[in-house]
Amino acid sequence: MRGARIWGLVPAWVLMLATLMVPLLIVAAVSVAERGSYGGFAWDFNPLSYREILFSEDWDGNLVFDPKYLAIIGRTLLLAGATTLICMALALPVAYVIATRPPKTKALLIYLVTLPFWVSMIVRVYAWLIILGSEGFVGRFWHWIGGEGTLLFTPGAMLVGMVYSYIPLMVLPVFAAIEKLDPALLEAGADLYGSRWTTARRVILPLTWPGLAAGAVLVFVPALGTVLEPMLLGGGKQMMMGTLIQTQFGGARNWPFGAAVALVLMAMVVIVLVINARRSIRKEARA
């Protein structure tokens, strides 16, 4: 019986091997290949692409520490972290309002939260180009209050687009966690003369933390590799790791370096997932 169950898993293992492990191994192999004379790569072992992330060569061929790619990694971590924190702050009250509505209203609000997923990401990001532009209502309001310059092509514009793109991924798990709350706990907090802020901080927030943690992973991981927001809302001036990878495989035609950066990005994602998994294991052990 056990052997039959193992053999039943073979198709899933083959599918994972073909669609996950094989492409990953190809990217790893390309990252240590030689850059081709006319772009692409050649199958000659050369791990210098990883060195290029931290060092560059001067005119004499000496290695010099170059922080430009570290700045891109830092900008990526900063914007992804800020996106996650803003989504958490916005999703908690939104999810609470949705979870406490009548069933029909609740279903309608959940539909509205998921509605942006029905539209292409490119269309949604382009919409923010219009909204934040000089002719958009946000751009006009910015100039009306005395703001100078444009809101577009700035880190702030990128952050707005990233929050808008990923906040549904935060609202849904937080909503699921809040919906499971026992209303008697909230009533007990009120009976003990706790203010709304105290009840939220000592009752709602601790009990919804698993949903917030799950949403943080769902937002932070894709935010690390975002491409459209830096390209469109950032105007290509504020490069992140996703756009760096796209540039290396595209115009720069430096596939080994692009693959090396992609593996560094994947390592960052794995670290986040491992930390989240260890946190879940410790929590289950304490329970």
Side-chain angles (χ1 to χ4, degrees), residues 63-106:
L63 290 180
V64 179
F65 177 70
D66 190 348
K68 62 182 179 182
Y69 294 120
L70 286 181
I72 294 175
I73 295 175
R75 183 184 301 118
T76 301
L77 291 172
L78 179 62
L79 286 174
T83 299
T84 304
L85 292 176
I86 295 174
C87 286
M88 291 175 72
L90 296 177
L92 188 58
V94 171
Y96 181 81
V97 170
I98 295 175
T100 54
R101 298 304 95 184
K104 290 185 178 179
T105 306
K106 185 188 302 183

Side-chain angles (χ1 to χ4, degrees), residues 4-269:
R5 288 198 299 266
I6 293 176
W7 280 107
L9 293 173
V10 169
W13 293 342
V14 173
L15 182 64
M16 290 181 62
L17 180 66
T19 60
L20 182 63
M21 296 306 299
V22 171
L24 182 59
L25 291 175
I26 292 175
V27 172
V30 171
S31 71
V32 293
E34 181 78 29
R35 182 181 182 182
S37 302
Y38 302 99
F41 65 96
W43 287 119
D44 296 322
F45 181 76
N46 186 357
L48 298 183
S49 295
Y50 292 95
R51 189 187 68 180
E52 190 176 345
I53 297 175
L54 295 176
F55 300 96
S56 61
E57 292 186 359
D58 60 13
W59 294 103
D60 297 328
N62 299 317
L63 290 180
V64 179
F65 177 70
D66 190 348
K68 62 182 179 182
Y69 294 120
L70 286 181
I72 294 175
I73 295 175
R75 183 184 301 118
T76 301
L77 291 172
L78 179 62
L79 286 174
T83 299
T84 304
L85 292 176
I86 295 174
C87 286
M88 291 175 72
L90 296 177
L92 188 58
V94 171
Y96 181 81
V97 170
I98 295 175
T100 54
R101 298 304 95 184
K104 290 185 178 179
T105 306
K106 185 188 302 183
L108 176 61
L109 293 175
I110 287 296
Y111 169 76
L112 293 177
V113 169
T114 58
L115 186 62
F117 290 132
W118 296 33
V119 182
S120 170
M121 177 75 81
I122 297 178
V123 174
R124 286 186 278 155
V125 176
Y126 260 113
W128 279 103
L129 277 174
I130 300 173
I131 294 172
L132 297 177
S134 58
E135 298 300 322
F137 69 90
V138 175
R140 289 186 177 183
F141 177 76
W142 170 252
H143 292 299
W144 180 75
I145 63 175
E148 297 181 357
T150 178
L151 295 175
L152 289 174
F153 314 133
T154 62
M158 293 164 52
L159 186 60
V160 168
M162 292 169 67
V163 170
Y164 170 75
S165 298
Y166 299 121
I167 194 170
L169 300 177
M170 181 70 73
V171 171
L172 295 178
V174 175
F175 161 76
I178 293 179
E179 197 175 28
K180 297 177 183 178
L181 285 179
D182 187 352
L185 297 174
L186 304 181
E187 295 175 2
D191 292 340
L192 294 172
Y193 303 102
S195 64
R196 291 187 176 182
W197 167 247
T198 302
T199 302
R201 182 167 54 89
R202 296 191 175 184
V203 179
I204 298 177
L205 188 59
L207 294 177
T208 57
W209 181 249
L212 285 169
V217 173
L218 291 175
V219 171
F220 186 76
V221 169
L224 286 175
T226 187
V227 175
L228 288 177
E229 289 83 357
M231 289 182 62
L232 298 179
L233 299 178
K237 300 177 181 178
Q238 305 291 331
M239 186 169 288
M240 295 176 62
M241 292 188 72
T243 50
L244 176 61
I245 295 170
Q246 188 271 340
T247 300
Q248 296 303 317
F249 278 99
R253 295 185 57 79
N254 190 350
W255 288 22
F257 182 65
V261 176
L263 288 181
V264 170
L265 177 61
M266 189 193 70
M268 294 165 59
V269 171

